[in-house]
Amino acid sequence: MKPVYYDYAATTPCDPEVVAAMLPYFYERFGNPSSMHSFGQETKGAVEEARERIASFLGAAPGEIVFTSGGTESNNMAVKGVAYARRGKGNHIITSPIEHHAVLEPCHFLEKDGFEITILPVDGDGLVDPDDVRRAITDKTILISIMHANNEIGTIQPVSEIGKIARERGVYFHTDAVQTLGHLPFTVNDLNVDLLSASAHKLYGPKGIGLLYVRKGTRLTPFMHGGEQENRRRASTHNVPGIVGFGKAVELAQGSLEKEVRDLTAYRDKLIRGFQEKMDQVKLNGHPTQRLPNNVNISIAHVEGEGMLLSLDMLGIACSTGSACSSASLAPSHVLMAIGLPHELAHGSLRFSMGRPTTAADVDRLLEVLPPIVAKLRAMSPLYQQDSNAPKAC
Ligand SMILES: *Cc1c(COP(=O)(O)O)cnc(C)c1O
């Protein structure tokens, strides 16, 4: 049977049209965009065309887009770049406990260098309360970084409201939109952001290329020093095939976004309903409606995430888990911990993330395959045996 991929939040396949658009830029059109001769001007044109397309999709100006090596670099650049540029004004940064590690780790790094980090709480659905943001701002606050949508539980934050608060107080606002660019309709002005991170490989583009949107006038200290590329904000020869591929990926997303949101939302809700009907003690993680159309994250009591993941993989279904018995730390996902999920349920979590190629048949197959796996694993679990006479919602 054809394997089914349910891990589009981790990465997506490159669209063949994206690959086709990139190919000429490996051999025929290989010039360095910084070169003055015709070889360079040709690729410079391709880079600027991609920049314009992406900028227009974001409702931004081309000069506000800085190409990077991916979401991780963009997040590092936003957090550390603002921290060092605004050090004269203050040393306080506000963020959330469910950010991607590429935001949290730069914050931890800065803490060792004299910066003060406030990590706001989130509620049981993973939502940040804008009033908490308002209350946390001090005279020393220089940056607020709250992600647009969470990659594990899919919760979409009230980013636009938070951005409004930040602007009223003269604080820069950054959002990690890696999970939403090309997946949800928005512009940078809708979100009220000064900085926004995105990555091509999460929207059917190539790996190793991303962007940071930097609103005009936003001060940022570069941390790649070298040539004068990207208006001196990010040195290094342009990744021309990557940038061209990113532009094509955005063009394709523009055309299919509306249908994708509609289809995936229907699949998502069918999966959630189906899991809850076919199995007892299943909990949905993340907000029930304010969530990514492609994200289903559930915890199944008295079963290990790894066991389910490997059983599914043997049947050709690839997903991910927030449990981490196999990871070095043995700690479950920081996101599941932050929403207050008991360890036991965090270890029984599975994330199914869908994408453009997902079909109704894939959804039916998963609904057919998972419940017997869970029943089999539970049959071996003494805890479930004790508990199973009185199934309860958890
Ligand atoms: C994947 C991801 C990143 C990292 O992006 P890379 O391009 O892989 O470095 C950052 N934030 C979120 C929310 C992500 O899902």
Side-chain angles (χ1 to χ4, degrees):
M1 213 177 248
K2 166 177 112 8
V4 183
Y5 184 74
Y6 268 108
D7 206 12
Y8 291 91
T11 195
T12 61
C14 232
D15 190 294
E17 283 193 54
V18 168
V19 178
M22 291 171 71
L23 278 177
Y25 293 91
F26 286 98
Y27 185 74
E28 294 154 45
R29 303 180 207 156
F30 64 91
N32 186 328
S34 302
S35 300
M36 283 174 71
H37 49 61
S38 62
F39 290 81
Q41 292 315 298
E42 184 178 43
T43 50
K44 183 175 166 53
V47 165
E48 294 315 315
E49 197 182 308
R51 192 192 308 279
E52 275 163 33
R53 177 174 297 284
I54 297 169
S56 126
F57 183 61
L58 276 170
E64 295 174 314
I65 305 296
V66 179
F67 287 117
T68 67
S69 66
T72 298
E73 184 184 327
S74 300
N75 285 343
N76 270 268
M77 189 173 173
V79 173
K80 295 186 218 165
V82 167
Y84 290 113
R86 304 283 283 180
R87 208 169 195 175
K89 179 179 183 286
N91 68 341
H92 182 225
I93 295 170
I94 298 170
T95 188
S96 91
I98 65 168
E99 297 301 309
H100 193 274
H101 287 298
V103 164
L104 289 174
E105 291 305 316
C107 286
H108 290 143
F109 169 83
L110 289 171
E111 218 166 13
K112 290 186 213 132
D113 196 20
F115 287 88
E116 223 177 282
I117 312 294
T118 295
I119 298 185
L120 297 173
V122 288
D123 70 11
D125 292 331
L127 280 177
V128 171
D129 182 347
D131 283 329
D132 286 341
V133 177
R134 196 191 304 277
R135 281 189 288 267
I137 298 174
T138 71
D139 291 345
K140 295 258 177 268
T141 309
I142 48 175
L143 177 69
I144 298 166
S145 181
I146 302 289
M147 73 201 314
H148 191 191
N150 184 269
N151 46 305
E152 292 188 35
I153 57 174
T155 299
I156 300 169
Q157 299 294 347
V159 162
S160 155
E161 245 182 290
I162 296 169
K164 221 169 126 214
I165 294 166
R167 188 157 306 160
E168 280 164 18
R169 301 291 299 269
V171 176
Y172 285 161
F173 179 44
H174 166 251
T175 199
D176 174 344
V178 172
Q179 288 292 334
T180 53
L181 182 80
H183 300 287
L184 292 177
F186 65 84
T187 66
V188 289
N189 286 336
D190 294 338
L191 302 188
N192 295 320
V193 291
D194 301 301
L195 302 129
L196 176 146
S197 303
S199 176
H201 78 94
K202 303 287 175 87
L203 62 137
Y204 311 96
K207 293 167 182 60
I209 184 78
L211 67 82
L212 183 65
Y213 158 79
V214 184
R215 186 177 292 276
K216 190 167 184 284
T218 305
R219 290 185 48 211
L220 206 63
T221 299
F223 72 103
M224 289 279 274
H225 299 106
E228 294 183 356
Q229 290 90 356
E230 300 298 272
N231 281 323
R232 301 177 187 221
R233 287 173 300 192
R234 204 264 186 188
S236 180
T237 300
H238 290 97
N239 173 357
V240 178
I243 292 168
V244 168
F246 196 177
K248 189 69 187 179
V250 164
E251 180 190 331
L252 295 176
Q254 211 159 358
S256 63
L257 192 148
E258 208 179 312
K259 176 178 169 10
E260 238 171 281
V261 169
R262 201 172 47 230
D263 289 354
L264 295 181
T265 303
Y267 294 159
R268 177 194 76 190
D269 294 342
K270 184 172 181 185
L271 278 177
I272 294 170
R273 232 177 310 122
F275 287 146
Q276 287 176 334
E277 277 165 18
K278 288 168 175 252
M279 297 178 286
D280 60 88
Q281 303 191 61
V282 173
K283 183 192 179 300
L284 176 69
N285 297 315
H287 197 280
T289 54
Q290 230 167 290
R291 73 185 295 131
L292 288 169
N294 77 332
N295 175 291
V296 177
N297 188 312
I298 50 166
S299 282
I300 306 176
H302 309 310
V303 214
E304 281 295 328
E306 280 83 359
M308 292 187 281
L309 186 151
L310 294 173
S311 303
L312 282 168
D313 195 36
M314 279 195 286
L315 296 171
I317 295 177
C319 68
S320 79
T321 173
S323 173
C325 291
S326 53
S327 86
S329 64
L330 289 182
S333 130
H334 68 289
V335 175
L336 298 179
M337 292 292 93
I339 61 171
L341 207 64
H343 266 78
E344 216 270 311
L345 281 178
H347 279 301
S349 78
L350 289 177
R351 178 188 70 183
F352 299 99
S353 47
M354 298 174 287
R356 210 176 281 161
T358 304
T359 64
D362 295 340
V363 170
D364 291 338
R365 170 118 178 268
L366 177 56
L367 282 173
E368 202 179 288
V369 164
L370 183 61
I373 289 174
V374 168
K376 199 169 140 204
L377 292 170
R378 276 177 171 173
M380 297 186 279
S381 157
L383 280 172
Y384 184 73
Q385 296 311 311
Q386 283 168 20
D387 202 25
S388 60
N389 290 333
K392 57 179 189 290
C394 42

